[in-house]
Amino acid sequence: MNTTVAVPRGLAGVVVTDTELGDVRGREGFYHYRQYSAVELAESRGFEDVWHLMFRGTLPADAARRAAFAAETAPLRRLPAAVRDALPALARASALSGPLAGLRTALSLLGASAGFRPVYDLDPDRRAADALAACAAVPTLLTALHRLGQGLEPVEPRDDLPYAANYLYMLTGQEPDPVRARAIERYLISTIDHGFNASTFTARVIASTGADVAACLTGAIGALSGPLHGGAPSRALDTLDAIGTADRIGPWIRERVLAGERIMGFGHPVYRTEDPRSRMLRDIARGFGGPLVDFAVEVERQVEEILAELKPGRELHTNVEFYAGVVMELCGLPREMFTPTFCAARVVGWSANVLEQAADSKIIRPAARYTGPTPPQPVPALG
């Protein structure tokens, strides 16, 4: 007899492990990395500082330690020759799918070229070294794949630029405006980790098998590519384009809500109040100002009013994707790079989770409840 315990669909609310990396407190509208507010970190620290926190458990205590970590990670941005030489073919092969699809193959190739071995066979220092190398290389891979797809040559990374500024430099070929670089850095920091979301859980499941770091991250990228996970920033901006003008907001939204369609950029599986990431990104967008920001704020206001009327008690607010798309548009990122940019941040959170999971040798192996025809039944003879 099947004695498995019934659990909610999608494992919603089911605790599957302990973690020291952070948590999301949905009813409070708060999330944190280790013991610090993630939004406060995004407002007061640089990306490398938070990367150090996630990997090594502490923030750099002074400028010298921050510089030492930057000096350790910056050279890892450069790709092995075997990977670099393969990128034009990968860009052509993924031309219809985009850089995130190409990244899955490129990251696997990086792991093979660098000799990544199963985390089960490695000591903690070697695991961390592989994860550090993968995180540093992801922005280089993404920007190279994008540029090659546009018929442009990749831009080599610069060791003197911080993570976010270097990412924008490799994307555009020009040193970014500091205000835009800082806006993107704050976005990247705010999306490094966010509890046991689908891609993070995927990375940990693969890590629990003892597989190498590249395998874990490639699986996580596959999960992130889904439109119900990281694929929404450009879709949320597409919604603004589809509405077009302020007088169309109400009718457009009502029609889709009544038809049972999801409004991209609104609602979250965990938050029951305003998403703190959305609040921070709205403030960043307002700092830029302009017609797009004014329109987005008005869409947010009317959508929340309509959702409150048509779906009372649901507490549906903007999520991170809504204003993330606005901020990235204002900073000049092409829409096909919105989700890859999310990935350039989340790879650090995935890697921290992989390292934490690798310290526990227990494989994640849940059960499923069988609901098909009653077995055993006789196998019918071939007619």
Side-chain angles (χ1 to χ4, degrees):
M1 187 176 75
N2 192 330
T3 59
T4 56
V5 177
V7 297
R9 289 182 65 217
L11 301 181
V14 176
V15 175
V16 295
T17 193
D18 295 330
T19 181
E20 296 181 354
L21 295 174
D23 193 21
V24 180
R25 305 209 298 247
R27 295 192 179 279
E28 300 173 41
F30 173 78
Y31 74 113
H32 57 101
Y33 303 155
R34 298 197 186 271
Q35 68 268 45
Y36 304 109
S37 160
V39 170
E40 186 176 341
L41 286 167
E43 291 171 344
S44 62
R45 288 283 192 151
F47 188 90
E48 281 84 355
D49 287 0
V50 185
W51 187 359
H52 188 281
L53 171 69
M54 297 300 286
F55 268 50
R56 298 181 178 170
T58 62
L59 289 167
D62 50 45
R65 295 184 189 182
R66 169 188 284 176
F69 187 70
E72 180 182 356
T73 57
L76 300 174
R77 297 168 179 169
R78 303 187 185 282
L79 304 176
V83 177
R84 190 170 58 248
D85 293 345
L87 290 180
L90 291 180
R92 288 192 299 271
S94 60
L96 297 178
S97 302
L100 201 64
L103 179 65
R104 296 199 294 264
T105 302
L107 193 55
S108 292
L109 179 59
L110 175 74
S113 175
F116 287 7
R117 294 167 51 211
V119 294
Y120 184 80
D121 297 331
L122 301 178
D123 62 44
D125 288 344
R126 183 66 251 175
R127 293 172 192 154
D130 287 353
L132 209 65
C135 291
V138 161
T140 309
L141 293 169
L142 286 171
T143 54
L145 288 166
H146 171 71
R147 289 182 64 86
L148 287 164
Q150 301 297 309
L152 302 170
E153 286 297 311
V155 175
E156 286 296 305
R158 278 174 47 179
D159 292 356
D160 62 311
L161 292 177
Y163 189 93
N166 179 67
Y167 176 70
L168 293 175
Y169 170 72
M170 291 191 296
L171 187 63
T172 65
Q174 298 179 339
E175 188 166 337
D177 166 66
V179 174
R180 285 172 170 76
R182 179 56 182 156
I184 294 299
E185 181 173 52
R186 290 174 65 188
Y187 166 68
L188 292 173
I189 293 170
S190 73
T191 52
I192 281 176
D193 192 53
H194 202 246
F196 266 46
N197 54 80
S199 56
T200 297
F201 186 50
T202 300
R204 290 192 72 127
V205 169
I206 299 172
S208 80
T209 73
D212 67 74
V213 167
C216 301
L217 298 179
T218 300
I221 294 166
L224 181 73
S225 68
L228 296 184
H229 190 7
S234 60
R235 292 173 183 244
L237 205 57
D238 291 343
T239 296
L240 296 182
D241 289 343
I243 295 171
T245 57
D247 61 299
R248 282 172 41 85
I249 298 172
W252 194 95
I253 296 297
R254 284 181 182 277
E255 179 182 344
R256 277 147 187 82
V257 172
L258 291 173
E261 296 180 21
R262 182 181 177 194
I263 307 300
M264 285 296 183
F266 287 81
H268 193 275
V270 176
Y271 288 118
R272 294 299 174 264
T273 183
E274 187 178 26
D275 186 331
R277 302 169 299 176
S278 179
R279 186 186 313 119
M280 184 194 77
L281 290 165
R282 185 198 303 121
D283 290 343
I284 293 174
R286 280 176 163 160
F288 287 108
L292 175 61
V293 178
D294 294 341
F295 185 55
V297 170
E298 180 61 18
V299 168
E300 177 189 23
R301 185 187 70 78
Q302 291 198 38
V303 169
E304 291 194 348
E305 285 183 357
I306 293 169
L307 290 173
E309 174 193 339
L310 300 180
K311 295 181 178 292
R314 288 285 300 277
E315 287 291 331
L316 295 171
H317 302 278
T318 54
N319 56 40
V320 65
E321 286 88 4
F322 186 79
Y323 282 106
V326 173
V327 169
M328 284 189 274
E329 180 96 340
L330 293 171
C331 290
L333 275 70
R335 293 190 188 186
E336 62 268 23
M337 288 301 289
F338 285 7
T339 300
T341 301
F342 187 106
C343 178
R346 187 56 61 87
V347 67
V348 171
W350 292 332
S351 295
N353 274 276
V354 166
L355 296 177
E356 186 176 64
Q357 185 64 48
D360 179 359
S361 61
K362 179 67 173 177
I363 191 171
I364 297 174
R365 206 300 191 186
R369 185 170 52 255
Y370 176 74
T371 59
T374 303
Q377 296 185 20
V379 177
L382 185 63

